[in-house]
Amino acid sequence: MTLPIARRDVIAGAAALALVRPARAAADPVVTAPAGRWRGTTEAGVQVFRGIRYGIDPTRFRFHAVTAPAPVRDTLAATDFAPSCPQRANIDNQNEDCLFLNIWTPDARRGGNRPVMVYLHGGAYMNGTVVDPLVHGHRLAADGDVVVVTVNHRLNALGYLYLARLNPRFPDSGNVGQRDQLLALHWIRTNIAHFGGDPSRVMLFGQSGGGAKIGTLMAMPDAHGLFHAAATMSGQQVTASGPLNATRRAQAFLARLKATPAEAVTLPVARLIDALSAEDPILGGGVYMGPVLDMRSLTRHPFWPDAHPLGRSIPLILGNTREETRAFIAPPPDLSWDNLASRIAPQLRVDAPPEWIVAQYRTQFPAMTPHDILYRATTAGRSWPGQVIEAEARAAAGAPTWVYQLDYSSPVRPGGGAAHTDDIPLVFGTLDAAGSVSGTGPAARALSARMMAAFVSLARNGHPARDWPRHTLPRRATMVFDTTSRVVDDPRRWERELFARFPYIQPGT
């Protein structure tokens, strides 16, 4: 069954959002809160505070959870982004001292009681940053009348190297990146009212690895009560790393580093980043690091054997794009029916015969080309199964869940399609930012307004829209975001059932 979205709802939502843009302030804003005092800037009518410290410098506490800094009485400049966590990605200004957040608010005064939307970046647990212009919060804060917060935290070996079984001095080392996020959420609960936010309406949203981090936080007892709604965009965490496999990865990393856990504490951080090229003993390729079932921070898997009871009351949007793998797989110029199966095989995250998969797609969709099947099959067998498992588990538990599928085809990317990360600028409204492939035409602007309104409604009201049904079984209602958005029941049923016959194992677990 397909239900069209009324045009008047889209127009009314967009018009309502446009009315809340604040006027430009006459002077730079200054906020005094329990944690300190900061001077920000006013840009395009939004008050912006960059580089606010929420955790002490972790350099001297490597592989340990850290605490909040002591309150500062002096007025600190909050005008520039702080460093991002050291990583192998080509990102400027990297430093181990990276526990900072950024705030965009229509009006930084107490009493605003605006919903707070906290963004966690992608890049798996290995790379990424929130200084990327795609995730700057000017437009979302202004159009949605919300407070937007973006958070950097420790990554890779600095945030997820599990050493507890190798040296008892480091009991939390496998999850300190997650504990950084908890620290940021505590800072938000204590201070965000002074920036015009409502600490009782905090929504997390994140793309790819950011969504996986949120799935993990929903299973962490220490996160209970720190946020009240969530949205994951092409990022799921069905299971965490088991402690034995995580230990094997730590051993491979330390062998490459040529150091013991105690010695790794004081080595130059560049040495640690270089050692990330160690081969993963389970998956092959570069060593994986992510949250660990350490029985301290995380005491059971987020979505195994079912949806974690801690997260069932949290309203949740689960989203994916129609052809996620267009972002990972360049169009092979020599792709043909003869080599399609061999190209698909290394991309699948289920142990299925690729020749059989290709034959099934050719029978079901005879008009598809090899390139069509390459992206459809690898998405359905790699990037989508985790979301299906989470959506089914929450539906079975009666948890408030809404599912979307982005079908909007990029007018900029060669070959078009709806790929991994394409929903980021649509949700943030950063259509013209570097890296966006959404285009800036009327269709992109209308879709962005629709998606922003849905996310803002979840933060404000606990649901994304009155015309977006919950995801329940067996209906599986799904919002298909496109130039004409609509609700479709079980839109990829054939592909879902095809891959459901093969067990899915979360990579890195």
Side-chain angles (χ1 to χ4, degrees):
M1 179 173 67
T2 300
L3 301 177
I5 301 305
R7 176 175 171 80
R8 65 178 180 272
D9 291 342
V10 177
I11 295 173
L17 288 172
L19 290 174
V20 299
R21 298 179 189 236
R24 182 178 178 86
D28 288 339
V30 176
V31 167
T32 302
R37 180 178 171 88
W38 301 272
R39 174 176 285 106
T41 60
T42 301
E43 304 166 15
V46 174
Q47 296 175 352
V48 185
F49 298 82
R50 296 181 175 90
I52 294 179
R53 181 183 291 279
Y54 69 86
I56 62 173
D57 182 354
T59 305
R60 294 185 299 110
F61 304 95
R62 187 178 286 173
F63 309 137
H64 290 282
V66 297
T67 59
V72 178
R73 294 183 178 180
D74 296 334
T75 302
L76 302 179
T79 55
D80 296 310
F81 286 117
S84 302
C85 182
Q87 57 192 273
R88 301 184 74 189
N90 185 23
I91 293 174
D92 293 335
N93 193 19
Q94 299 183 20
N95 195 295
E96 198 167 348
D97 184 12
C98 62
L99 304 186
F100 298 88
L101 54 79
N102 315 289
I103 300 172
W104 289 262
T105 177
D107 189 4
R109 288 184 292 183
R110 284 186 64 88
N113 294 323
R114 294 175 177 85
V116 182
M117 299 180 67
V118 182
Y119 183 75
L120 301 179
H121 67 74
Y125 296 90
M126 304 295 285
N127 302 301
T129 180
V130 293
V131 307
D132 185 342
L134 282 175
V135 299
H136 291 179
H138 298 82
R139 186 64 183 267
L140 183 57
D143 287 7
D145 194 27
V146 297
V147 178
V148 178
V149 184
T150 65
V151 179
N152 271 337
H153 58 87
R154 283 177 286 180
L155 302 165
N156 50 67
L158 299 171
Y160 298 96
L161 180 65
Y162 183 59
L163 300 171
R165 294 179 63 84
L166 303 177
N167 188 321
R169 288 175 51 194
F170 308 106
D172 295 310
S173 59
N175 287 308
V176 294
Q178 295 300 118
R179 301 210 68 82
D180 290 345
Q181 297 156 38
L182 292 178
L183 190 62
L185 289 171
H186 278 285
W187 189 99
I188 290 166
R189 184 173 66 179
T190 302
N191 296 280
I192 205 65
H194 297 266
F195 293 84
D198 182 353
S200 70
R201 288 190 294 176
V202 175
M203 170 184 160
L204 300 186
F205 67 122
Q207 193 275 338
S208 193
K213 295 164 194 170
I214 292 167
T216 303
L217 287 169
M218 291 175 70
M220 295 177 65
D222 289 345
H224 185 65
L226 293 177
F227 60 99
H228 314 94
T232 66
M233 308 154 65
S234 304
Q236 295 80 42
Q237 193 74 47
V238 177
T239 50
S241 289
L244 300 183
N245 278 350
T247 300
R248 290 177 62 192
R249 292 184 165 104
Q251 290 169 326
F253 174 84
L254 293 170
R256 179 62 181 258
L257 189 63
K258 296 182 172 60
T260 65
E263 292 167 341
V265 170
T266 57
L267 288 177
V269 71
R271 287 272 306 277
L272 275 69
I273 302 306
D274 179 70
L276 294 173
S277 60
E279 183 172 356
D280 191 291
I282 295 99
L283 295 174
V287 67
Y288 169 88
M289 291 175 194
V292 181
L293 193 70
D294 62 357
M295 309 314 292
R296 290 172 59 87
S297 297
L298 194 61
T299 57
R300 62 151 275 182
H301 294 292
F303 283 90
W304 191 89
D306 54 10
H308 198 300
L310 283 176
R312 292 180 188 175
S313 64
I314 298 173
L316 175 66
I317 290 175
L318 289 165
N320 270 98
T321 69
R322 180 65 172 267
E323 296 170 312
E324 297 272 0
T325 54
R326 283 188 180 273
F328 313 132
I329 307 171
D334 61 341
L335 188 67
S336 69
W337 294 120
D338 292 335
N339 61 21
L340 176 58
S342 65
R343 298 297 178 87
I344 286 176
Q347 300 293 337
L348 297 178
R349 295 296 180 264
V350 295
D351 194 350
E355 297 82 6
W356 183 84
I357 295 292
V358 171
Q360 297 301 304
Y361 270 88
R362 294 189 70 177
T363 300
Q364 183 70 18
F365 305 107
M368 278 192 175
T369 67
H371 282 86
D372 293 334
I373 295 177
L374 172 68
Y375 293 118
R376 286 286 293 272
T378 54
T379 294
R382 166 180 171 157
S383 303
W384 189 42
Q387 190 228 46
V388 172
I389 291 170
E390 293 190 6
E392 303 267 296
R394 284 182 60 90
T401 308
W402 297 264
V403 170
Y404 76 79
Q405 173 181 304
L406 181 67
D407 277 17
Y408 174 74
S409 181
S410 167
V412 178
R413 180 192 303 107
H420 196 68
T421 76
D422 282 6
D423 41 2
I424 295 176
L426 295 168
V427 170
F428 273 92
T430 51
L431 305 182
D432 57 353
S436 171
V437 295
S438 63
T440 57
R445 292 197 301 271
L447 178 57
S448 178
R450 179 73 175 91
M451 294 186 72
M452 279 199 291
F455 275 56
V456 167
S457 179
L458 183 72
R460 177 168 282 116
N461 305 312
H463 62 81
R466 68 175 184 269
D467 51 11
W468 184 348
R470 286 190 184 187
H471 195 80
T472 59
L473 300 176
R475 182 181 174 189
R476 299 180 175 88
T478 300
M479 177 65 74
V480 177
F481 283 121
D482 204 343
T483 51
T484 300
S485 296
R486 61 205 185 279
V487 175
V488 181
D489 291 349
D490 206 359
R492 288 186 277 179
R493 176 180 176 179
W494 181 84
E495 290 176 287
R496 177 180 60 78
E497 292 178 344
L498 180 75
F499 283 95
R501 66 188 73 196
F502 307 106
Y504 170 77
I505 306 298
Q506 177 92 30
T509 60

mmCIF file of all heavy atoms in Angstrom, residues 450-485:
data_model
loop_
_atom_site.group_PDB
_atom_site.id
_atom_site.type_symbol
_atom_site.label_atom_id
_atom_site.label_comp_id
_atom_site.label_asym_id
_atom_site.label_seq_id
_atom_site.Cartn_x
_atom_site.Cartn_y
_atom_site.Cartn_z
ATOM 1 N N ARG A 450 11.449 18.875 4.005
ATOM 2 C CA ARG A 450 10.623 17.763 4.489
ATOM 3 C C ARG A 450 11.381 16.921 5.504
ATOM 4 O O ARG A 450 10.846 16.547 6.549
ATOM 5 C CB ARG A 450 10.192 16.902 3.290
ATOM 6 C CG ARG A 450 9.335 15.698 3.653
ATOM 7 C CD ARG A 450 7.932 16.132 4.036
ATOM 8 N NE ARG A 450 7.052 14.996 4.272
ATOM 9 C CZ ARG A 450 6.865 14.418 5.467
ATOM 10 N NH1 ARG A 450 7.500 14.863 6.521
ATOM 11 N NH2 ARG A 450 6.029 13.418 5.594
ATOM 12 N N MET A 451 12.648 16.609 5.205
ATOM 13 C CA MET A 451 13.429 15.769 6.111
ATOM 14 C C MET A 451 13.801 16.521 7.374
ATOM 15 O O MET A 451 13.745 15.961 8.481
ATOM 16 C CB MET A 451 14.667 15.235 5.391
ATOM 17 C CG MET A 451 14.338 14.278 4.254
ATOM 18 S SD MET A 451 15.784 13.501 3.493
ATOM 19 C CE MET A 451 16.275 12.345 4.792
ATOM 20 N N MET A 452 14.180 17.788 7.238
ATOM 21 C CA MET A 452 14.461 18.580 8.438
ATOM 22 C C MET A 452 13.246 18.664 9.341
ATOM 23 O O MET A 452 13.349 18.513 10.569
ATOM 24 C CB MET A 452 14.926 19.985 8.047
ATOM 25 C CG MET A 452 16.383 20.084 7.656
ATOM 26 S SD MET A 452 17.032 21.776 7.727
ATOM 27 C CE MET A 452 16.170 22.524 6.368
ATOM 28 N N ALA A 453 12.077 18.896 8.750
ATOM 29 C CA ALA A 453 10.863 18.998 9.560
ATOM 30 C C ALA A 453 10.586 17.707 10.310
ATOM 31 O O ALA A 453 10.146 17.728 11.468
ATOM 32 C CB ALA A 453 9.674 19.363 8.663
ATOM 33 N N ALA A 454 10.835 16.561 9.676
ATOM 34 C CA ALA A 454 10.587 15.276 10.332
ATOM 35 C C ALA A 454 11.532 15.073 11.511
ATOM 36 O O ALA A 454 11.101 14.651 12.599
ATOM 37 C CB ALA A 454 10.743 14.143 9.324
ATOM 38 N N PHE A 455 12.819 15.367 11.307
ATOM 39 C CA PHE A 455 13.776 15.191 12.392
ATOM 40 C C PHE A 455 13.483 16.165 13.533
ATOM 41 O O PHE A 455 13.562 15.800 14.716
ATOM 42 C CB PHE A 455 15.204 15.385 11.869
ATOM 43 C CG PHE A 455 15.812 14.149 11.270
ATOM 44 C CD1 PHE A 455 15.187 13.475 10.236
ATOM 45 C CD2 PHE A 455 17.016 13.655 11.736
ATOM 46 C CE1 PHE A 455 15.732 12.330 9.671
ATOM 47 C CE2 PHE A 455 17.579 12.510 11.187
ATOM 48 C CZ PHE A 455 16.941 11.846 10.147
ATOM 49 N N VAL A 456 13.164 17.409 13.189
ATOM 50 C CA VAL A 456 12.844 18.398 14.220
ATOM 51 C C VAL A 456 11.593 17.984 14.983
ATOM 52 O O VAL A 456 11.522 18.117 16.213
ATOM 53 C CB VAL A 456 12.676 19.793 13.579
ATOM 54 C CG1 VAL A 456 12.047 20.767 14.566
ATOM 55 C CG2 VAL A 456 14.023 20.326 13.106
ATOM 56 N N SER A 457 10.603 17.455 14.287
ATOM 57 C CA SER A 457 9.384 17.013 14.963
ATOM 58 C C SER A 457 9.672 15.882 15.944
ATOM 59 O O SER A 457 9.094 15.833 17.036
ATOM 60 C CB SER A 457 8.343 16.568 13.935
ATOM 61 O OG SER A 457 7.166 16.117 14.577
ATOM 62 N N LEU A 458 10.571 14.966 15.563
ATOM 63 C CA LEU A 458 10.929 13.904 16.508
ATOM 64 C C LEU A 458 11.534 14.502 17.770
ATOM 65 O O LEU A 458 11.212 14.083 18.889
ATOM 66 C CB LEU A 458 11.902 12.922 15.862
ATOM 67 C CG LEU A 458 12.279 11.727 16.737
ATOM 68 C CD1 LEU A 458 11.111 10.760 16.874
ATOM 69 C CD2 LEU A 458 13.493 10.995 16.178
ATOM 70 N N ALA A 459 12.426 15.482 17.594
ATOM 71 C CA ALA A 459 13.053 16.122 18.754
ATOM 72 C C ALA A 459 12.030 16.887 19.588
ATOM 73 O O ALA A 459 12.073 16.852 20.826
ATOM 74 C CB ALA A 459 14.155 17.067 18.282
ATOM 75 N N ARG A 460 11.114 17.562 18.930
ATOM 76 C CA ARG A 460 10.159 18.421 19.641
ATOM 77 C C ARG A 460 8.978 17.643 20.198
ATOM 78 O O ARG A 460 8.532 17.892 21.322
ATOM 79 C CB ARG A 460 9.682 19.517 18.687
ATOM 80 C CG ARG A 460 8.624 20.454 19.282
ATOM 81 C CD ARG A 460 8.391 21.673 18.416
ATOM 82 N NE ARG A 460 9.477 22.647 18.616
ATOM 83 C CZ ARG A 460 10.333 23.025 17.676
ATOM 84 N NH1 ARG A 460 10.247 22.515 16.452
ATOM 85 N NH2 ARG A 460 11.294 23.896 17.963
ATOM 86 N N ASN A 461 8.450 16.713 19.405
ATOM 87 C CA ASN A 461 7.170 16.082 19.735
ATOM 88 C C ASN A 461 7.254 14.593 20.046
ATOM 89 O O ASN A 461 6.271 13.998 20.468
ATOM 90 C CB ASN A 461 6.188 16.279 18.573
ATOM 91 C CG ASN A 461 6.023 17.733 18.190
ATOM 92 O OD1 ASN A 461 5.826 18.590 19.059
ATOM 93 N ND2 ASN A 461 6.112 18.032 16.889
ATOM 94 N N GLY A 462 8.396 13.963 19.770
ATOM 95 C CA GLY A 462 8.516 12.533 20.008
ATOM 96 C C GLY A 462 8.022 11.674 18.870
ATOM 97 O O GLY A 462 7.958 10.450 18.993
ATOM 98 N N HIS A 463 7.666 12.306 17.730
ATOM 99 C CA HIS A 463 7.290 11.557 16.520
ATOM 100 C C HIS A 463 7.645 12.436 15.322
ATOM 101 O O HIS A 463 7.653 13.661 15.414
ATOM 102 C CB HIS A 463 5.805 11.206 16.511
ATOM 103 C CG HIS A 463 4.903 12.412 16.504
ATOM 104 N ND1 HIS A 463 4.595 13.124 15.360
ATOM 105 C CD2 HIS A 463 4.247 13.049 17.518
ATOM 106 C CE1 HIS A 463 3.803 14.126 15.662
ATOM 107 N NE2 HIS A 463 3.570 14.110 16.968
ATOM 108 N N PRO A 464 7.906 11.836 14.140
ATOM 109 C CA PRO A 464 8.385 12.635 13.013
ATOM 110 C C PRO A 464 7.318 13.355 12.215
ATOM 111 O O PRO A 464 7.619 14.363 11.580
ATOM 112 C CB PRO A 464 9.107 11.597 12.139
ATOM 113 C CG PRO A 464 8.426 10.310 12.437
ATOM 114 C CD PRO A 464 8.024 10.394 13.887
ATOM 115 N N ALA A 465 6.096 12.853 12.203
ATOM 116 C CA ALA A 465 5.022 13.485 11.433
ATOM 117 C C ALA A 465 3.751 12.686 11.623
ATOM 118 O O ALA A 465 3.778 11.480 11.826
ATOM 119 C CB ALA A 465 5.367 13.543 9.939
ATOM 120 N N ARG A 466 2.629 13.367 11.508
ATOM 121 C CA ARG A 466 1.354 12.655 11.673
ATOM 122 C C ARG A 466 1.065 11.719 10.504
ATOM 123 O O ARG A 466 0.257 10.792 10.630
ATOM 124 C CB ARG A 466 0.215 13.660 11.841
ATOM 125 C CG ARG A 466 -0.102 14.478 10.609
ATOM 126 C CD ARG A 466 -1.324 15.358 10.852
ATOM 127 N NE ARG A 466 -1.725 16.110 9.663
ATOM 128 C CZ ARG A 466 -1.308 17.308 9.358
ATOM 129 N NH1 ARG A 466 -0.431 17.909 10.157
ATOM 130 N NH2 ARG A 466 -1.730 17.941 8.280
ATOM 131 N N ASP A 467 1.694 11.971 9.350
ATOM 132 C CA ASP A 467 1.432 11.143 8.179
ATOM 133 C C ASP A 467 2.528 10.102 7.943
ATOM 134 O O ASP A 467 2.634 9.542 6.865
ATOM 135 C CB ASP A 467 1.276 12.023 6.930
ATOM 136 C CG ASP A 467 2.419 13.020 6.752
ATOM 137 O OD1 ASP A 467 3.434 12.897 7.479
ATOM 138 O OD2 ASP A 467 2.304 13.922 5.906
ATOM 139 N N TRP A 468 3.328 9.843 8.956
ATOM 140 C CA TRP A 468 4.394 8.835 8.865
ATOM 141 C C TRP A 468 4.103 7.756 9.896
ATOM 142 O O TRP A 468 4.394 7.921 11.084
ATOM 143 C CB TRP A 468 5.737 9.502 9.116
ATOM 144 C CG TRP A 468 6.946 8.618 8.964
ATOM 145 C CD1 TRP A 468 6.982 7.258 8.845
ATOM 146 C CD2 TRP A 468 8.307 9.048 8.927
ATOM 147 N NE1 TRP A 468 8.273 6.820 8.740
ATOM 148 C CE2 TRP A 468 9.114 7.897 8.779
ATOM 149 C CE3 TRP A 468 8.928 10.285 9.003
ATOM 150 C CZ2 TRP A 468 10.502 7.955 8.717
ATOM 151 C CZ3 TRP A 468 10.306 10.364 8.952
ATOM 152 C CH2 TRP A 468 11.088 9.194 8.794
ATOM 153 N N PRO A 469 3.519 6.632 9.505
ATOM 154 C CA PRO A 469 3.129 5.599 10.473
ATOM 155 C C PRO A 469 4.346 4.931 11.121
ATOM 156 O O PRO A 469 5.423 4.857 10.543
ATOM 157 C CB PRO A 469 2.345 4.583 9.626
ATOM 158 C CG PRO A 469 2.058 5.265 8.331
ATOM 159 C CD PRO A 469 3.130 6.273 8.133
ATOM 160 N N ARG A 470 4.114 4.415 12.296
ATOM 161 C CA ARG A 470 5.153 3.614 12.949
ATOM 162 C C ARG A 470 5.453 2.357 12.132
ATOM 163 O O ARG A 470 4.597 1.839 11.413
ATOM 164 C CB ARG A 470 4.710 3.201 14.351
ATOM 165 C CG ARG A 470 4.743 4.301 15.389
ATOM 166 C CD ARG A 470 4.525 3.701 16.769
ATOM 167 N NE ARG A 470 4.455 4.716 17.809
ATOM 168 C CZ ARG A 470 4.410 4.443 19.107
ATOM 169 N NH1 ARG A 470 4.425 3.166 19.510
ATOM 170 N NH2 ARG A 470 4.352 5.406 20.000
ATOM 171 N N HIS A 471 6.658 1.857 12.315
ATOM 172 C CA HIS A 471 7.079 0.623 11.666
ATOM 173 C C HIS A 471 6.606 -0.541 12.534
ATOM 174 O O HIS A 471 7.090 -0.740 13.653
ATOM 175 C CB HIS A 471 8.599 0.610 11.532
ATOM 176 C CG HIS A 471 9.122 -0.425 10.581
ATOM 177 N ND1 HIS A 471 9.131 -0.246 9.222
ATOM 178 C CD2 HIS A 471 9.658 -1.642 10.800
ATOM 179 C CE1 HIS A 471 9.659 -1.299 8.630
ATOM 180 N NE2 HIS A 471 9.976 -2.165 9.572
ATOM 181 N N THR A 472 5.657 -1.281 12.024
ATOM 182 C CA THR A 472 5.096 -2.417 12.753
ATOM 183 C C THR A 472 5.112 -3.645 11.856
ATOM 184 O O THR A 472 5.262 -3.550 10.635
ATOM 185 C CB THR A 472 3.651 -2.129 13.185
ATOM 186 O OG1 THR A 472 2.855 -1.854 12.020
ATOM 187 C CG2 THR A 472 3.586 -0.935 14.142
ATOM 188 N N LEU A 473 4.947 -4.796 12.479
ATOM 189 C CA LEU A 473 4.885 -6.058 11.748
ATOM 190 C C LEU A 473 3.432 -6.525 11.659
ATOM 191 O O LEU A 473 2.677 -6.371 12.619
ATOM 192 C CB LEU A 473 5.721 -7.120 12.464
ATOM 193 C CG LEU A 473 7.205 -6.804 12.630
ATOM 194 C CD1 LEU A 473 7.889 -7.895 13.455
ATOM 195 C CD2 LEU A 473 7.890 -6.639 11.284
ATOM 196 N N PRO A 474 3.017 -7.046 10.510
ATOM 197 C CA PRO A 474 3.832 -7.336 9.318
ATOM 198 C C PRO A 474 3.847 -6.228 8.281
ATOM 199 O O PRO A 474 4.381 -6.392 7.199
ATOM 200 C CB PRO A 474 3.135 -8.571 8.752
ATOM 201 C CG PRO A 474 1.687 -8.330 9.057
ATOM 202 C CD PRO A 474 1.665 -7.628 10.405
ATOM 203 N N ARG A 475 3.254 -5.057 8.599
ATOM 204 C CA ARG A 475 3.092 -4.013 7.589
ATOM 205 C C ARG A 475 4.428 -3.444 7.104
ATOM 206 O O ARG A 475 4.627 -3.227 5.931
ATOM 207 C CB ARG A 475 2.216 -2.896 8.147
ATOM 208 C CG ARG A 475 1.959 -1.782 7.144
ATOM 209 C CD ARG A 475 1.114 -0.657 7.722
ATOM 210 N NE ARG A 475 1.012 0.446 6.775
ATOM 211 C CZ ARG A 475 0.479 1.621 7.065
ATOM 212 N NH1 ARG A 475 -0.017 1.852 8.270
ATOM 213 N NH2 ARG A 475 0.432 2.578 6.144
ATOM 214 N N ARG A 476 5.309 -3.106 8.043
ATOM 215 C CA ARG A 476 6.625 -2.535 7.725
ATOM 216 C C ARG A 476 6.505 -1.226 6.939
ATOM 217 O O ARG A 476 7.174 -1.014 5.918
ATOM 218 C CB ARG A 476 7.504 -3.536 6.967
ATOM 219 C CG ARG A 476 7.795 -4.810 7.737
ATOM 220 C CD ARG A 476 8.668 -5.768 6.944
ATOM 221 N NE ARG A 476 9.029 -6.937 7.738
ATOM 222 C CZ ARG A 476 8.301 -8.051 7.820
ATOM 223 N NH1 ARG A 476 7.154 -8.136 7.137
ATOM 224 N NH2 ARG A 476 8.692 -9.065 8.561
ATOM 225 N N ALA A 477 5.672 -0.313 7.429
ATOM 226 C CA ALA A 477 5.506 0.986 6.777
ATOM 227 C C ALA A 477 6.844 1.731 6.748
ATOM 228 O O ALA A 477 7.542 1.816 7.757
ATOM 229 C CB ALA A 477 4.466 1.814 7.514
ATOM 230 N N THR A 478 7.174 2.282 5.591
ATOM 231 C CA THR A 478 8.459 2.945 5.379
ATOM 232 C C THR A 478 8.228 4.255 4.636
ATOM 233 O O THR A 478 7.540 4.280 3.605
ATOM 234 C CB THR A 478 9.393 2.044 4.544
ATOM 235 O OG1 THR A 478 9.604 0.809 5.235
ATOM 236 C CG2 THR A 478 10.732 2.719 4.287
ATOM 237 N N MET A 479 8.814 5.341 5.149
ATOM 238 C CA MET A 479 8.767 6.606 4.426
ATOM 239 C C MET A 479 9.838 6.585 3.339
ATOM 240 O O MET A 479 11.026 6.424 3.634
ATOM 241 C CB MET A 479 9.015 7.784 5.370
ATOM 242 C CG MET A 479 9.058 9.139 4.673
ATOM 243 S SD MET A 479 7.471 9.612 3.943
ATOM 244 C CE MET A 479 6.548 10.029 5.430
ATOM 245 N N VAL A 480 9.424 6.725 2.111
ATOM 246 C CA VAL A 480 10.357 6.799 0.993
ATOM 247 C C VAL A 480 10.537 8.272 0.664
ATOM 248 O O VAL A 480 9.613 8.932 0.169
ATOM 249 C CB VAL A 480 9.837 6.015 -0.229
ATOM 250 C CG1 VAL A 480 10.800 6.184 -1.407
ATOM 251 C CG2 VAL A 480 9.693 4.538 0.121
ATOM 252 N N PHE A 481 11.700 8.809 0.967
ATOM 253 C CA PHE A 481 11.996 10.214 0.697
ATOM 254 C C PHE A 481 12.508 10.356 -0.728
ATOM 255 O O PHE A 481 13.504 9.744 -1.114
ATOM 256 C CB PHE A 481 13.036 10.741 1.677
ATOM 257 C CG PHE A 481 12.506 11.046 3.046
ATOM 258 C CD1 PHE A 481 13.013 10.424 4.175
ATOM 259 C CD2 PHE A 481 11.488 11.978 3.212
ATOM 260 C CE1 PHE A 481 12.538 10.713 5.435
ATOM 261 C CE2 PHE A 481 10.995 12.274 4.476
ATOM 262 C CZ PHE A 481 11.518 11.639 5.590
ATOM 263 N N ASP A 482 11.820 11.192 -1.502
ATOM 264 C CA ASP A 482 12.172 11.385 -2.905
ATOM 265 C C ASP A 482 11.589 12.729 -3.334
ATOM 266 O O ASP A 482 11.075 13.492 -2.504
ATOM 267 C CB ASP A 482 11.623 10.231 -3.751
ATOM 268 C CG ASP A 482 12.390 10.033 -5.057
ATOM 269 O OD1 ASP A 482 13.124 10.949 -5.474
ATOM 270 O OD2 ASP A 482 12.231 8.966 -5.678
ATOM 271 N N THR A 483 11.633 13.024 -4.614
ATOM 272 C CA THR A 483 11.042 14.263 -5.095
ATOM 273 C C THR A 483 9.560 14.328 -4.747
ATOM 274 O O THR A 483 9.008 15.404 -4.510
ATOM 275 C CB THR A 483 11.235 14.395 -6.613
ATOM 276 O OG1 THR A 483 10.790 13.185 -7.246
ATOM 277 C CG2 THR A 483 12.709 14.611 -6.951
ATOM 278 N N THR A 484 8.903 13.169 -4.716
ATOM 279 C CA THR A 484 7.570 13.039 -4.135
ATOM 280 C C THR A 484 7.662 11.982 -3.047
ATOM 281 O O THR A 484 7.764 10.790 -3.335
ATOM 282 C CB THR A 484 6.528 12.615 -5.191
ATOM 283 O OG1 THR A 484 6.479 13.595 -6.231
ATOM 284 C CG2 THR A 484 5.146 12.487 -4.555
ATOM 285 N N SER A 485 7.644 12.410 -1.813
ATOM 286 C CA SER A 485 7.793 11.464 -0.707
ATOM 287 C C SER A 485 6.469 10.764 -0.450
ATOM 288 O O SER A 485 5.393 11.335 -0.645
ATOM 289 C CB SER A 485 8.273 12.191 0.550
ATOM 290 O OG SER A 485 9.569 12.729 0.344
#
